[in-house]
Amino acid sequence: MSLLPDPSHMTALQREGSISLVGAGPGAADLLTGRALARIAAADVVFYDRLVSADVLALIPPSARAVNVGKEVGQCAWPQDRIDRLIVDSALQGLRVVRLKSGDPSVFGRAGEEIAAARAAGIKIEVVPGVTAASAAAASILDPLTERGRFDRLVLATGTTLAGKAPENLAPSLVPGTRLALYMAVHHADLLQAGLAAGGLNAALRVTVVSQTGTPFERVLRCALGDLGQEVRAQGIRNPAIIFVDIPLAQTVSDSAGAVALA
Amino acid sequence: MSLLPDPSHMTALQREGSISLVGAGPGAADLLTGRALARIAAADVVFYDRLVSADVLALIPPSARAVNVGKEVGQCAWPQDRIDRLIVDSALQGLRVVRLKSGDPSVFGRAGEEIAAARAAGIKIEVVPGVTAASAAAASILDPLTERGRFDRLVLATGTTLAGKAPENLAPSLVPGTRLALYMAVHHADLLQAGLAAGGLNAALRVTVVSQTGTPFERVLRCALGDLGQEVRAQGIRNPAIIFVDIPLAQTVSDSAGAVALA
């Protein structure tokens, strides 16, 4: 079976194809934007990632072909260059291609490679932004990503770059006043904990892990940084999840009783 | 005139009030989520910020009272504690209160103070996440916020904390492999440029400024960090805007001809 869409979807008059990189948001169908819904409704073919939820997939109209190009982290069943070729070839056939990505396509979504491939082929391309996972997790637990006077800065990083190496180079960027949000990192929780400790962060810093945000299976783990690896394992927390690490401003730390001290 | 909503909105049977902190997204009406639209449609009163667009305000039903609690940056016509009291008092009257904030409420939206006020008063509160300005700007200019192997990390910071001081403490967090997105900072472009230079960043680093994202008035300025203040002034760029500063990974810098070197 060819993975390319059925040519019968095309009209006799060759239409100009296009590619929309669409943010599917955190999973709930009512957290997509109106523009995302419109692009999905008009699609001839939808190439979607593994993390796109069943509720969102249910929005794909029966007239569109839906193709799962998702891969488990660390596996490479669908290399990025194959996806690039596939979306471009489909658009060159005149199809309206939706490339559906969980969260926001611009955040750890490898959108740049797909944009470059489309441009190289002269294909019309757009990005429809979405609600990124950190925003959704913060909303769900009512704990904003920034907090005036405590967390003036938010750092988004990804666990996929942690594989095989401790994240020593993460620690220097975590000056007081920072909240760190780590995407797809719970399977590297031990590495993360060790790397941040090696980088000088205090083991007592507060960590919050939110998995499966907004679903009936949402879980929230709160612990000290020094217990992160052990707690993630003990509680069986899995991706998709966000790990928040809080490095509050020093003056806030000394002002509020019970807050942790920085290393 | 009282700023509290008209009590005639209430049914004879006292209803339980609630507060929804709703993300209005970057401005376009089709970039709100379905959940945001539902909360606005069901609202008795909507308290909105200055940056919420006319297109979004047009979504507020005639049956709801709409109150502008926005303030210019640096002005304090509506202190935060007054807004906190107002939304809580309205909910205590049994009203469905929507607090409409541009972008995502959890990103530089002072949501934490409103959540704390609601909790202290025993009011039901939720956060409806939205598309944050950095995601929208990145989508609009087709330049993703992260890029595998070049920008593994995204730092969100705000210009409102720059007032009266150079952002020396920003530079240490900008290790190679980082893209910095600064919210509401163009009026401090000179300070920012000076602070990042004092912190050791190379004046040749690439900067991109996107103002009024997604509107017919969108403008994109690309320049070197060393020219930022001058270019912002020369071109009359104003808030709302996002300033992106790119600090690519060192190996990428040396690999690609024409890319800038780090200091």
Side-chain angles (χ1 to χ4, degrees):
Chain A
M1 187 195 87
S2 165
L3 284 157
L4 289 178
D6 183 344
S8 68
H9 283 189
M10 289 160 52
T11 56
L13 189 67
Q14 177 77 33
R15 206 169 56 192
E16 190 192 3
S18 63
I19 299 173
S20 294
L21 308 185
V22 173
D30 68 347
L31 288 180
L32 272 82
T33 69
R35 192 176 300 173
L37 293 176
R39 294 301 182 273
I40 292 169
D44 296 310
V45 58
V46 178
F47 297 105
Y48 64 92
D49 281 337
R50 185 179 62 88
L51 288 177
V52 174
S53 73
D55 286 351
V56 170
L57 294 179
L59 301 169
I60 300 174
S63 58
R65 182 175 289 208
V67 182
N68 179 355
V69 295
K71 49 179 184 282
E72 296 284 333
V73 171
Q75 298 186 347
C76 289
W78 282 81
Q80 184 61 45
D81 59 355
R82 186 176 170 200
I83 297 175
D84 297 346
R85 275 199 308 275
L86 193 59
I87 61 175
V88 164
D89 287 349
S90 301
L92 285 173
Q93 286 183 38
L95 299 177
R96 282 178 296 229
V97 176
V98 163
R99 177 74 178 92
L100 193 57
K101 294 166 180 285
S102 68
D104 175 44
S106 297
V107 176
F108 306 124
R110 302 191 70 168
E113 293 155 76
E114 296 174 9
I115 291 167
R119 282 179 156 163
I123 301 287
K124 207 166 67 177
I125 180 142
E126 67 167 354
V127 175
V128 178
V131 172
T132 190
S135 290
S140 193
I141 65 171
L142 295 175
D143 193 356
L145 296 169
T146 66
E147 192 181 325
R148 196 178 166 88
R150 255 169 72 83
F151 303 110
D152 286 333
R153 198 167 312 162
L154 172 68
V155 175
L156 305 184
T158 173
T160 60
T161 57
L162 300 180
K165 53 182 178 185
E168 299 99 346
N169 82 331
L170 201 49
S173 67
L174 304 177
V175 296
T178 300
R179 176 162 281 167
L180 169 67
L182 267 158
Y183 285 57
M184 303 298 287
V186 292
H187 53 302
H188 292 310
D190 287 302
L191 264 179
L192 177 67
Q193 177 186 330
L196 293 180
L201 290 194
N202 192 308
L205 288 174
R206 187 179 74 149
V207 174
T208 310
V209 185
V210 185
S211 69
Q212 305 202 58
T213 297
T215 74
F217 310 104
E218 176 174 302
R219 294 180 62 187
V220 182
L221 161 65
R222 294 178 212 273
C223 66
L225 177 58
D227 299 326
L228 177 63
Q230 179 192 321
E231 286 295 320
V232 162
R233 255 177 290 117
Q235 303 204 20
I237 305 281
R238 299 197 174 180
N239 283 324
I242 296 280
I243 300 175
F244 293 113
V245 182
D246 293 354
I247 304 100
L249 278 175
Q251 59 265 38
T252 311
V253 171
S254 57
D255 283 355
S256 64
V260 299
L262 290 170
Chain B
M1 187 195 88
S2 164
L3 284 158
L4 289 178
D6 182 346
S8 68
H9 283 191
M10 290 162 49
T11 57
L13 189 67
Q14 178 77 30
R15 205 170 54 191
E16 188 192 5
S18 63
I19 299 173
S20 294
L21 308 185
V22 174
D30 68 346
L31 288 180
L32 273 82
T33 67
R35 194 176 299 172
L37 292 175
R39 294 302 181 273
I40 292 170
D44 297 310
V45 58
V46 178
F47 297 104
Y48 64 92
D49 281 335
R50 186 179 62 87
L51 287 178
V52 175
S53 73
D55 286 352
V56 171
L57 294 179
L59 301 169
I60 300 173
S63 58
R65 181 173 290 208
V67 182
N68 179 355
V69 296
K71 47 179 186 280
E72 296 284 333
V73 170
Q75 297 187 348
C76 288
W78 282 82
Q80 184 61 45
D81 58 355
R82 187 176 169 201
I83 297 175
D84 297 346
R85 276 198 309 276
L86 192 60
I87 61 175
V88 165
D89 288 349
S90 301
L92 285 173
Q93 286 183 39
L95 299 177
R96 282 177 296 227
V97 176
V98 163
R99 178 75 178 90
L100 193 57
K101 295 167 181 284
S102 69
D104 175 44
S106 297
V107 176
F108 306 123
R110 302 192 69 166
E113 293 155 75
E114 296 173 11
I115 291 167
R119 282 179 158 163
I123 302 287
K124 205 166 67 178
I125 179 142
E126 68 166 352
V127 175
V128 178
V131 173
T132 191
S135 290
S140 193
I141 65 171
L142 295 175
D143 194 357
L145 296 168
T146 65
E147 192 181 327
R148 197 176 165 90
R150 254 169 74 82
F151 304 110
D152 285 334
R153 197 168 312 163
L154 172 68
V155 175
L156 304 184
T158 173
T160 61
T161 56
L162 300 179
K165 53 181 177 186
E168 297 96 350
N169 83 331
L170 200 50
S173 65
L174 304 177
V175 295
T178 300
R179 176 162 281 169
L180 169 67
L182 267 157
Y183 285 57
M184 303 298 287
V186 291
H187 53 302
H188 292 311
D190 286 303
L191 265 177
L192 176 68
Q193 178 186 329
L196 293 180
L201 289 194
N202 192 307
L205 288 173
R206 187 180 75 150
V207 174
T208 309
V209 186
V210 185
S211 68
Q212 305 202 58
T213 297
T215 74
F217 310 104
E218 175 173 304
R219 293 180 63 187
V220 181
L221 162 65
R222 296 179 210 272
C223 65
L225 178 57
D227 299 326
L228 177 63
Q230 178 193 322
E231 286 294 320
V232 162
R233 257 178 288 117
Q235 303 204 20
I237 305 281
R238 299 197 173 179
N239 283 324
I242 297 279
I243 300 176
F244 294 112
V245 182
D246 293 354
I247 305 98
L249 278 175
Q251 59 265 37
T252 311
V253 172
S254 56
D255 282 355
S256 63
V260 299
L262 291 169

